[in-house]
Amino acid sequence: MSKIDKMSILGVRSFGVEDKDKQVITFFNPLTILVGPNGAGKTTIIECLKYICTGDFPPGSKGNSFVHDPKVANETDVRAQIRLQFHDVNGELVAVQRSMVCSQKGKKTEFKTLEGVITRIKHGEKVSLSSKCAEMDREMIAALGVSKSVLNNVIFCHQEDSNWPLSEGKALKQKFDEIFSATRYIKALETLRQVRLKQGQRVKECQVELKYLKQNKEKAQEIQNQLTSRETQLAASKENVRHIENQLEPLKNSLMEIEQNLIKVMRLDNESKALESRRKQMEKDNQDLQQKMEKVFQGNDEQLRRMYQNHQKTVKEKEKRLTECQRELEAVNKEFLRFNTEKSELLVEQGRLQLQADRYQQHIRTRDSLIQSLATQLELEGFETAPLNERQINSFQRLVKERQDKDMESANNLMKEFGEKETMKQKQIDEIRDKKTGLERTIVLKLDIQNKKQFEVKNLKQELYQLEGSSNRLLELDQELTKAKHELVEAEKNCNVETLEMEIKELQREKTNLDSTLRKLDKEMEQLNLNTTVITQMDMLKKDKADKEDQIRKIKFRHNEELICLLGFFPSKNQLEDWLHSRVKEINQTRDKLAKLNKELVSAEQNKSHITTELRKKEEQLSTYEEKLFDVCGSQDFESDLNKLQHDIEKTSKQRAMLAGATAVYSQFITQLADENQSCCPVCQRVFETEAELQDVINDLQAKLRLAPDKLKTTESELKKREKKRDDMISLKPIRQTVSELHEKDIPELRNKLQILNREIQSLKADIEEQETLLGTIVTEEESAKACLQDITLMERDQVRILLTRLRTKPSFIILHVQNGKVCWKRMSSHLAFFPKCYEYMDTYKKNKKIK
């Protein structure tokens, strides 16, 4: 069971906002009775208990009216705080704190709930739970072990809502349901009813599904029966097919034998036809040879053999000569290839040098244009005409360096001047603020002194009226004295002179005593008036001291948390000024660092722009070169295409050489075959058996001889095209090398540089954002400290005045005493001088009773 121990209230409704106004209420066991007149705060205590336990404000209050009115407290901000100490359901000690603040802004008040804290003691250590980390109302209800409805409607029921048991039936039922938690059981019944409805609906769906399943089962049974009958029919059909296949097997064998016999017959028929055709061809060749044969060899076999051997020697010599010519042709081709290679290398070197020269000229033009534009901006003369020579460039660099140094020097001077002016202006502002504050306080003091002087003048006027009454009394006494003298004269006439003289002397002596007493009284009156003035001044100083102490306390309360958060302690004026000076120095350093980072960021972005432009140019150049290569090669594999083309050129050259020599060879072969008596092949020395066979060879050679010029022309044309394409490709080798450099070196390097710059820019942006955040924090702290500096200055000035006031109002520093029948006073310079004088005048004080 939970139990409330005590509660403290500050700044709620009529409870004051000062620390001295904090009220602590201790609750007793088993009963605590609050007794007091109307407006004493009994209901406020119950409302505070309800707020600290549930977080709910009283009915009709949104928080503004729950906190002490700032207008009544003469404050712009009023902070309210409620603390409760209790034992929870487990018997553990728990402390809860809820805070609020109400601010006066113009005619409106603004209310804000601050962070709440629940503190428990576990295992001898304090464990705190903030409202930022957990829901405080739920934690309080769990700790108290009572539902929120019981707290609101039973335990902490407000007096305006105490008649809820007499409300209408529906509202009353709702209240009792909340108190006894009947809503949960109603929700459970409703859930059961919904589940029952869902299950009934599910049963209906299952029944319908069961009906369809039964129908599907019947259909499946029918299909199963049909499948069984079909399988039986299929087995019978397979048996019939097997029987028919057994019957077809001998027929297939007979058919295969017939087909083999037919193939043999057809082959024999083709062979007979071929032999017949060959016989006819040979007869035709024989007839052709007989017709073409001009001379028949008439010698014997030995002569024919010698002729054949001579012919063989001639063929070998021809073959040897042909081999030598081929060897010479190969050497010439190698020399030709070597020259072509040297030519291609020279073309590559020429293209590379031309590219470098173009780049160099482009860089020179770019440099000259940049120098001219910069010279125009800086108003430098002598750089209008391009191209610029080395002397002009060195002169331009020197002038730019001098201009940069001058600009840096002027910028530094301006920064120093602005810093000095800012410091002077800040000092002037601080002096003006101090003067303004002092003049305002002086005006207030002068007004108070003026009011008090007017009051004193009024009192003096009243005393003057009294003194005028005393002077009238003196006139009356003078008249009475004149009358008495007149009576004395008459009495002298009538009485004894000596007796009368004695009476007159006695009266004169009495008059003298009265005059001295009157003078003493006048002096005492003057001294009393002087003491009254001093006491009035002391009262004014005490009141001023109280006001200043109150003001100092308010300043400390207003700025204590902020200054402790900034410095870790409540500083003096000098400490705060030193801290502000360090903050200003830190702000300047941060601004310099931020300017440096911004400069680096601008430089990096310019480099990024330059590299991006260069990368775009390189990519466009690469695209252009690749298009040129693709237009010439038809693919991107330049080296393989060039090697293939070189191979094709060699092959075509050999073919052209073969075709060029084929005309002479074919003509010689035809002449030899036509002129020699015995027909034999000039290459293999095979003897043609028939004239027709010889004629066929001659016809074939003549046909090839007729086609050779056309083939030679076509081959030469193709060779020229390929050589032209090879020359074009060799001339593109520098471009290919440039493309390779762009692919492998330039573009990757630029992209890497761009990535590095992007990372640097991101890092610089992050650093700039961090420095800006730091600068904003430092500037905010500096502004807060500057705002506090004026109040701290006033507070220290007030503390000095309070100290002076204490010194002036010390009893030991002013001593009143009677000396030679006069009331006197002395101001002692220290306590050491006071005590001897005190004992010296003590007896006189006791005698005259004039201690003030």
Side-chain angles (χ1 to χ4, degrees):
M1 179 178 176
S2 58
K3 183 179 71 172
I4 298 173
D5 293 340
K6 58 183 177 180
M7 180 178 65
S8 67
I9 304 172
L10 177 67
V12 178
R13 293 202 187 275
S14 59
F15 289 89
V17 298
E18 302 291 339
D19 293 338
K20 63 183 181 180
D21 299 328
K22 182 186 289 187
Q23 300 296 325
V24 180
I25 298 98
T26 303
F27 298 93
F28 301 98
N29 190 20
L31 182 65
T32 300
I33 299 175
L34 303 175
V35 180
N38 292 337
K42 302 184 296 299
T43 307
T44 303
I45 295 173
I46 304 301
E47 290 173 350
C48 291
L49 277 170
K50 180 179 179 181
Y51 175 71
I52 195 71
C53 292
T54 63
D56 294 338
F57 292 105
S61 173
K62 294 183 179 179
N64 293 347
S65 58
F66 188 58
V67 180
H68 193 82
D69 194 354
K71 294 180 180 178
V72 177
N74 292 324
E75 297 285 346
T76 56
D77 296 334
V78 171
R79 189 187 296 267
Q81 187 183 79
I82 303 173
R83 294 175 59 89
L84 179 67
Q85 181 179 328
F86 67 96
H87 288 81
D88 62 0
V89 291
N90 298 323
E92 296 179 354
L93 186 63
V94 182
V96 188
Q97 174 182 325
R98 292 183 189 257
S99 302
M100 303 157 282
V101 63
C102 187
S103 303
Q104 183 72 33
K105 295 186 177 180
K107 296 182 179 180
K108 295 182 180 179
T109 57
E110 182 179 344
F111 175 80
K112 184 168 66 175
T113 303
L114 303 179
E115 181 182 1
V117 180
I118 298 177
T119 305
R120 300 175 184 271
I121 299 176
K122 290 186 178 180
H123 308 294
E125 295 182 357
K126 288 186 177 181
V127 179
S128 298
L129 181 64
S130 173
S131 58
K132 294 181 179 179
C133 304
E135 190 174 349
M136 197 166 176
D137 299 340
R138 186 176 295 174
E139 292 290 331
M140 283 297 297
I141 290 171
L144 291 170
V146 183
S147 64
K148 189 173 182 178
S149 57
V150 173
L151 290 173
N152 287 333
N153 299 319
V154 179
I155 298 176
F156 299 130
C157 180
H158 199 271
Q159 59 187 6
E160 295 179 0
D161 298 333
S162 59
N163 59 347
W164 63 266
L166 304 177
S167 57
E168 296 180 358
K170 183 177 179 180
L172 186 62
K173 179 180 179 301
Q174 185 177 358
K175 290 281 187 182
F176 277 113
D177 288 345
E178 291 177 356
I179 292 171
F180 296 106
S181 300
T183 309
R184 290 188 297 172
Y185 302 106
I186 294 170
K187 287 182 178 180
L189 292 173
E190 183 66 23
T191 304
L192 289 172
R193 187 178 65 79
Q194 291 178 359
V195 170
R196 185 169 178 273
L197 289 174
K198 288 180 181 179
Q199 293 298 327
Q201 187 69 25
R202 179 64 179 163
V203 168
K204 289 181 182 179
E205 292 176 358
C206 290
Q207 288 177 353
V208 174
E209 187 176 358
L210 181 62
K211 181 179 177 182
Y212 286 118
L213 289 174
K214 286 181 179 179
Q215 293 177 0
N216 292 335
K217 181 182 178 184
E218 293 174 357
K219 288 182 180 180
Q221 192 66 35
E222 292 177 1
I223 292 170
Q224 187 69 28
N225 295 332
Q226 292 177 3
L227 182 62
T228 305
S229 62
R230 292 285 188 273
E231 287 179 351
T232 306
Q233 293 176 4
L234 180 61
S237 300
K238 285 182 178 180
E239 187 66 29
N240 292 330
V241 168
R242 196 178 299 109
H243 180 66
I244 292 168
E245 286 178 351
N246 293 330
Q247 292 177 357
L248 285 173
E249 189 66 29
L251 295 175
K252 286 181 179 179
N253 294 330
S254 302
L255 184 61
M256 288 176 66
E257 291 176 359
I258 294 168
E259 286 179 353
Q260 289 176 0
N261 293 329
L262 181 61
I263 290 169
K264 290 179 180 179
V265 170
M266 291 178 68
R267 187 174 67 251
L268 292 171
D269 187 30
N270 290 332
E271 287 178 357
S272 65
K273 287 181 179 180
L275 291 171
E276 183 67 26
S277 174
R278 185 179 179 186
R279 185 183 64 80
K280 290 180 180 180
Q281 182 67 32
M282 291 176 70
E283 289 176 354
K284 185 179 178 182
D285 292 340
N286 192 14
Q287 290 175 3
D288 292 336
L289 288 172
Q290 288 177 0
Q291 290 175 3
K292 291 180 179 179
M293 190 179 297
E294 297 177 356
K295 183 180 178 181
V296 180
F297 183 72
Q298 299 297 331
N300 54 19
D301 293 340
E302 188 64 27
Q303 293 175 349
L304 182 62
R305 193 175 292 111
R306 284 196 301 269
M307 187 180 291
Y308 176 71
Q309 290 176 357
N310 293 330
H311 181 71
Q312 286 291 333
K313 291 179 181 178
T314 306
V315 169
K316 287 180 180 178
E317 290 176 358
K318 296 282 186 179
E319 286 179 351
K320 186 177 180 181
R321 178 64 181 163
L322 179 62
T323 304
E324 291 175 356
C325 291
Q326 286 180 351
R327 203 175 286 119
E328 291 176 359
L329 181 62
E330 288 179 358
V332 170
N333 286 330
K334 287 181 180 178
E335 190 71 18
F336 178 71
L337 291 173
R338 186 173 64 80
F339 287 146
N340 282 335
T341 305
E342 290 178 358
K343 177 185 175 183
S344 62
E345 290 176 355
L346 291 173
L347 288 171
V348 169
E349 184 67 20
Q350 180 185 0
R352 187 176 64 79
L353 293 174
Q354 186 64 37
L355 274 173
Q356 289 181 358
D358 294 340
R359 287 180 184 172
Y360 181 70
Q361 293 298 327
Q362 181 66 29
H363 291 163
I364 288 174
R365 288 194 292 272
T366 306
R367 182 200 65 187
D368 292 344
S369 62
L370 291 174
I371 288 174
Q372 287 174 356
S373 61
L374 188 58
T376 305
Q377 292 178 3
L378 298 176
E379 296 180 355
L380 300 177
E381 297 179 355
F383 304 99
E384 290 81 8
T385 59
L388 302 174
N389 54 28
E390 192 68 24
R391 184 180 59 78
Q392 290 176 325
I393 292 169
N394 294 331
S395 175
F396 177 76
Q397 290 178 351
R398 189 181 68 259
L399 292 173
V400 170
K401 181 69 176 175
E402 292 175 357
R403 180 66 62 86
Q404 185 180 5
D405 294 338
K406 289 179 181 178
D407 292 342
M408 287 296 293
E409 186 177 358
S410 60
N412 292 329
N413 293 331
L414 287 174
M415 289 295 292
K416 289 180 181 178
E417 291 177 2
F418 288 150
E420 292 175 357
K421 288 180 180 180
E422 184 180 4
T423 306
M424 291 176 62
K425 294 296 183 183
Q426 187 64 40
K427 289 182 179 179
Q428 291 177 1
I429 290 170
D430 294 339
E431 291 175 358
I432 292 169
R433 283 179 179 171
D434 295 340
K435 289 180 181 179
K436 178 185 174 185
T437 307
L439 291 173
E440 289 177 352
R441 298 302 304 168
T442 305
I443 290 169
V444 173
L445 290 174
K446 294 293 184 182
L447 289 174
D448 292 338
I449 293 170
Q450 183 181 1
N451 294 329
K452 290 178 180 179
K453 292 293 183 182
Q454 290 177 354
F455 181 73
E456 290 176 1
V457 168
K458 185 176 180 182
N459 291 333
L460 290 172
K461 286 181 178 180
Q462 290 179 357
E463 291 177 359
L464 286 173
Y465 290 146
Q466 293 177 359
L467 291 174
E468 288 178 356
S470 299
S471 62
N472 293 330
R473 177 61 179 165
L474 288 173
L475 292 174
E476 290 178 358
L477 289 173
D478 289 336
Q479 290 178 0
E480 288 179 0
L481 181 59
T482 306
K483 186 178 180 181
K485 286 180 179 181
H486 181 69
E487 290 177 355
L488 178 60
V489 171
E490 290 180 355
E492 283 179 352
K493 292 178 181 179
N494 299 320
C495 300
N496 186 5
V497 176
E498 293 179 356
T499 305
L500 291 175
E501 284 179 356
M502 290 177 64
E503 289 178 0
I504 288 169
K505 287 180 180 179
E506 185 67 26
L507 290 172
Q508 285 177 352
R509 197 182 304 109
E510 185 178 357
K511 179 184 176 185
T512 303
N513 292 330
L514 288 174
D515 289 337
S516 63
T517 304
L518 182 61
R519 283 193 298 272
K520 289 179 182 180
L521 289 174
D522 290 336
K523 289 180 181 180
E524 288 179 2
M525 183 65 69
E526 290 177 359
Q527 189 63 39
L528 288 174
N529 289 332
L530 180 62
N531 290 338
T532 303
T533 305
V534 172
I535 291 169
T536 304
Q537 289 179 357
M538 288 175 63
D539 292 338
M540 290 172 61
L541 291 173
K542 286 180 179 179
K543 184 179 179 182
D544 190 20
K545 171 191 167 187
D547 293 339
K548 290 186 185 305
E549 287 178 346
D550 189 26
Q551 188 174 0
I552 289 170
R553 188 171 59 255
K554 288 179 181 178
I555 290 171
K556 284 186 176 180
F557 180 76
R558 188 184 305 126
H559 300 300
N560 186 37
E561 183 177 354
E562 186 175 2
L563 289 173
I564 289 175
C565 180
L566 290 175
L567 282 80
F569 60 94
F570 195 86
S572 64
K573 179 184 175 183
N574 293 330
Q575 290 173 338
L576 186 58
E577 286 178 348
D578 293 340
W579 186 84
L580 280 172
H581 180 69
S582 64
R583 282 295 175 179
V584 169
K585 189 175 180 181
E586 187 176 356
I587 287 170
N588 293 331
Q589 291 176 355
T590 306
R591 284 175 177 166
D592 294 340
K593 191 173 181 181
L594 188 60
K596 184 178 179 182
L597 289 173
N598 283 321
K599 188 176 180 181
E600 290 178 359
L601 179 61
V602 170
S603 176
E605 287 179 347
Q606 288 178 354
N607 291 335
K608 178 184 175 182
S609 176
H610 176 69
I611 291 174
T612 305
T613 306
E614 190 70 21
L615 179 61
R616 187 168 60 250
K617 289 180 180 179
K618 294 284 186 184
E619 289 176 345
E620 290 175 357
Q621 184 180 5
L622 176 63
S623 177
T624 305
Y625 286 170
E626 285 181 344
E627 287 177 1
K628 286 182 180 180
L629 291 174
F630 187 78
D631 291 339
V632 174
C633 303
S635 68
Q636 297 295 335
D637 195 356
F638 182 82
E639 296 296 334
S640 63
D641 289 343
L642 184 58
N643 293 331
K644 184 179 178 183
L645 183 60
Q646 191 69 30
H647 180 69
D648 292 342
I649 288 171
E650 292 176 359
K651 187 176 178 182
T652 308
S653 298
K654 290 179 181 180
Q655 188 177 359
R656 181 180 63 81
M658 289 173 60
L659 288 172
T663 305
V665 173
Y666 290 157
S667 299
Q668 186 179 359
F669 286 169
I670 292 169
T671 304
Q672 289 178 1
L673 289 171
D675 292 344
E676 292 180 358
N677 295 327
Q678 291 186 1
S679 58
C680 65
C681 179
V683 179
C684 62
Q685 299 299 321
R686 183 176 63 86
V687 179
F688 298 107
E689 297 177 357
T690 62
E691 187 69 23
E693 189 175 357
L694 179 61
Q695 191 63 36
D696 286 341
V697 173
I698 292 171
N699 291 335
D700 189 20
L701 291 173
Q702 287 177 351
K704 289 181 178 179
L705 184 60
R706 285 192 300 270
L707 294 174
D710 294 335
K711 286 185 177 179
L712 180 60
K713 187 176 180 180
T714 305
T715 305
E716 287 178 349
S717 175
E718 187 176 354
L719 181 61
K720 287 180 180 179
K721 289 181 180 177
R722 289 179 178 176
E723 286 179 347
K724 186 176 182 302
K725 185 176 180 181
R726 182 194 61 189
D727 293 339
D728 293 339
M729 290 181 70
I730 289 172
S731 65
L732 289 176
K733 262 195 173 181
I735 294 177
R736 172 61 186 172
Q737 187 176 358
T738 305
V739 168
S740 178
E741 289 178 356
L742 289 173
H743 264 301
E744 296 174 359
K745 183 180 178 182
D746 295 344
I747 291 178
E749 285 181 358
L750 289 174
R751 285 178 178 167
N752 290 333
K753 287 180 180 178
L754 192 60
Q755 290 178 358
I756 293 169
L757 278 175
N758 285 329
R759 287 195 292 269
E760 288 179 358
I761 287 171
Q762 293 296 330
S763 175
L764 287 171
K765 286 183 178 178
D767 292 341
I768 287 170
E769 185 176 356
E770 181 181 357
Q771 292 298 325
E772 286 178 348
T773 305
L774 177 63
L775 182 62
T777 305
I778 297 173
V779 169
T780 305
E781 291 178 355
E782 184 205 16
E783 291 175 353
S784 302
K786 281 184 178 179
C788 298
L789 179 61
Q790 184 178 0
D791 291 338
I792 295 293
T793 305
L794 292 175
M795 187 184 74
E796 288 196 356
R797 186 179 297 163
D798 292 341
Q799 287 176 346
V800 171
R801 290 179 178 174
I802 289 170
L803 182 60
L804 293 175
T805 303
R806 285 177 180 173
L807 293 175
R808 291 173 184 171
T809 56
K810 285 276 185 183
S812 58
F813 279 65
I814 299 175
I815 301 175
L816 299 178
H817 62 95
V818 178
Q819 185 176 1
N820 298 326
K822 297 181 180 180
V823 179
C824 300
W825 63 276
K826 277 191 177 181
R827 184 181 298 275
M828 297 291 104
S829 59
S830 66
H831 292 284
L832 297 175
F834 164 72
F835 289 104
K837 290 292 181 184
C838 183
Y839 288 109
E840 183 180 344
Y841 298 131
M842 186 61 68
D843 294 333
T844 307
Y845 290 155
K846 289 180 180 179
K847 290 178 182 179
N848 294 278
K849 305 295 184 181
K850 299 296 182 180
I851 298 175
K852 297 294 181 182

